[in-house]
Amino acid sequence: MQPQAFSRRGALALLATGALAWMAVTLAPSQAHAADDVTVVIRTIHAAPDGQGADPQLNDLGPKLTKAFQGYGAFTQIQSQRVNISAAEPFSIVLPDGTRFRLDYKGAEGDGALHRLGVGVGKRLDTDVRASNGSTFFQAGLPYKHNGQDGILIVAISLL
Amino acid sequence: MLTPQQLELLQRYHDNECSPPEQAEVEALLERSPDALDALARLDNLSELYQLHDQSVLARTSFDGLWSNVQHAIAQDAAQASAAAAAAKAPAEPQRGLFAWLADLFAGHRTAWLTAAATAAAVALVFIALKPGEHATVETVVEKHYIYIDSVNKADPQSTVVINSLQDEGSAVIWLLPNAADGEEQDQRSGANPQAPHAEDEEAESDDDVIIEMEPL
């Protein structure tokens, strides 16, 4: 039987397909490169032991707030700020009670999956935290009276 | 009456195919045998008839193109002979180009090779979609978050630091709990002057700090 003729063009097309497949497998980037900064949302929340309900602005934090602060029933967002922090630009805000809250960016590890942050509360607290993208952690305990209601301040730090 | 050998001899004599001794024998036979003379005469007549027949056939035959056909046939034979000779003398098959090799490889099985290429491309797409290290299994993906409190570098001796790890929620709480006596003082300060930073909490401002003052309530 006479074999089918396979044109040069067909052979080229087949070679190109194989080359593309090889490149896709070996050269596809596995993960993002290490980050130099991170975007965070910092929310200052008043938690009162008395009362019930949470500010609608805190709906996304509802389950975490309820579980972490079981002794508190009412949560009110006082302030919210979205910032991009980097090693070159440390960030700090003054809390309602006058305490300066500081957030320092110390780099990323794990190809940008985990960010290292320095958290400072005035001169009283200085901790090192590693947090993954999309996570939220809290600093809490400073006593504060909001709208005549006793309670504490909660600073919620959410990494985007 | 002539013998078969004599008849054959006469025929050969007629065709000039006899040797000298045979000729002498035939001539001797013709001198003594009227039957031999008669047979030889009949042979002469017969040959004339053949010649006339051949001439008439030849007259009707066209020889136009005969020579060119002969030449063509000779040329074909020569070409085949030279090709055979060249094939016999030809060295080892020369290096073929990549494309010719590929064409031979794929010839006759194009459908199968195209199917294989499409399968390879599909497998490559699957690898792209998946990150390395993951298995191609169908499962419910639950986004997990991680918080690690690595260290507490400095703490107010008048306060207590408590780390509450919420593994299920992927979160954590860093509690700074002032002692009872300090807590009362802080309550007074918080109510009187919520805006100004406290002297003991104020840190040296640097030009690099990004400071955001909170709006008064």
Side-chain angles (χ1 to χ4, degrees):
Chain A
M1 179 191 288
Q2 190 72 20
Q4 295 180 16
F6 200 85
S7 67
R8 178 172 173 161
R9 189 176 300 175
L12 270 175
L14 209 54
L15 259 184
T17 304
L20 280 174
W22 174 83
M23 284 171 63
V25 172
T26 59
L27 302 180
S30 58
Q31 283 183 323
H33 60 277
D36 298 328
D37 56 12
V38 67
T39 302
V40 299
V41 174
I42 299 177
R43 285 181 276 196
T44 306
I45 303 166
H46 179 257
D50 302 324
Q52 291 291 327
D55 194 329
Q57 299 174 87
L58 301 173
N59 282 344
D60 58 313
L61 294 181
K64 289 185 172 64
L65 285 174
T66 305
K67 187 162 186 178
F69 307 98
Q70 294 181 5
Y72 300 85
F75 301 92
T76 306
Q77 179 171 294
I78 299 174
Q79 184 58 277
S80 176
Q81 185 74 33
R82 174 178 172 149
V83 292
N84 184 271
I85 60 173
S86 63
E89 290 190 27
F91 172 76
S92 67
I93 58 172
V94 177
L95 300 177
D97 71 336
T99 304
R100 179 157 295 168
F101 182 88
R102 190 182 71 254
L103 198 61
D104 302 327
Y105 186 70
K106 297 186 176 182
E109 55 183 58
D111 290 336
L114 219 55
H115 298 275
R116 289 185 285 115
L117 304 167
V119 178
V121 179
K123 291 181 178 179
R124 289 184 280 176
L125 178 64
D126 195 357
T127 65
D128 286 336
V129 177
R130 282 180 294 154
S132 61
N133 288 321
S135 64
T136 298
F137 65 97
F138 307 92
Q139 190 283 312
L142 296 175
Y144 183 70
K145 186 179 289 186
H146 178 63
N147 290 339
Q149 194 172 23
D150 288 328
I152 60 169
L153 282 176
I154 300 171
V155 181
I157 301 100
S158 301
L159 278 70
L160 301 183
Chain B
M1 193 68 173
L2 297 174
T3 65
Q5 292 82 3
Q6 289 172 334
L7 283 172
E8 183 187 348
L9 197 60
L10 280 171
Q11 196 164 6
R12 288 172 55 204
Y13 176 81
H14 176 267
D15 293 339
N16 290 322
E17 292 177 358
C18 290
S19 63
E22 289 175 339
Q23 284 181 358
E25 183 181 349
V26 169
E27 289 170 357
L29 178 65
L30 289 172
E31 286 178 1
R32 70 175 183 269
S33 170
D35 290 338
L37 282 171
D38 187 48
L40 187 62
R42 287 202 304 273
L43 284 172
D44 287 339
N45 292 336
L46 194 60
S47 68
E48 284 179 9
L49 283 174
Y50 275 127
Q51 284 178 3
L52 285 173
H53 174 72
D54 289 344
Q55 285 172 2
S56 67
V57 170
L58 286 172
R60 293 194 300 271
T61 301
S62 169
F63 293 94
D64 294 340
L66 174 63
W67 181 238
S68 63
N69 290 341
V70 169
Q71 283 183 317
H72 179 68
I74 292 172
Q76 274 188 331
D77 291 342
Q80 288 177 358
S82 64
K89 294 181 186 176
E93 195 169 333
Q95 288 285 337
R96 306 187 66 191
L98 173 65
F99 294 113
W101 178 78
L102 282 173
D104 287 345
L105 179 65
F106 299 138
H109 303 283
R110 179 163 59 176
T111 304
W113 279 105
L114 286 174
T115 304
T119 304
V123 171
L125 285 174
V126 170
F127 272 103
I128 294 172
L130 294 176
K131 294 180 183 176
E134 292 181 357
H135 299 289
T137 57
V138 178
E139 60 182 11
T140 301
V141 177
V142 178
E143 189 176 1
K144 300 205 83 161
H145 301 302
Y146 301 94
I147 304 289
Y148 303 101
I149 310 299
D150 291 333
S151 64
V152 178
N153 296 328
K154 184 171 69 174
D156 181 9
Q158 307 299 321
S159 300
T160 302
V161 178
V162 176
I163 306 298
N164 185 11
S165 174
L166 306 169
Q167 292 295 338
D168 293 342
E169 301 295 328
S171 183
V173 182
I174 306 169
W175 286 96
L176 178 62
L177 303 172
N179 293 340
D182 290 346
E184 289 175 2
E185 291 176 5
Q186 287 188 11
D187 285 342
Q188 292 172 4
R189 285 201 299 266
S190 296
N193 191 0
Q195 293 188 48
H198 304 297
E200 60 269 29
D201 293 336
E202 196 173 66
E203 298 186 8
E205 294 184 21
S206 72
D207 292 336
D208 295 331
D209 283 349
V210 175
I211 300 173
I212 300 176
E213 297 289 348
M214 299 193 57
E215 295 293 331
L217 298 173

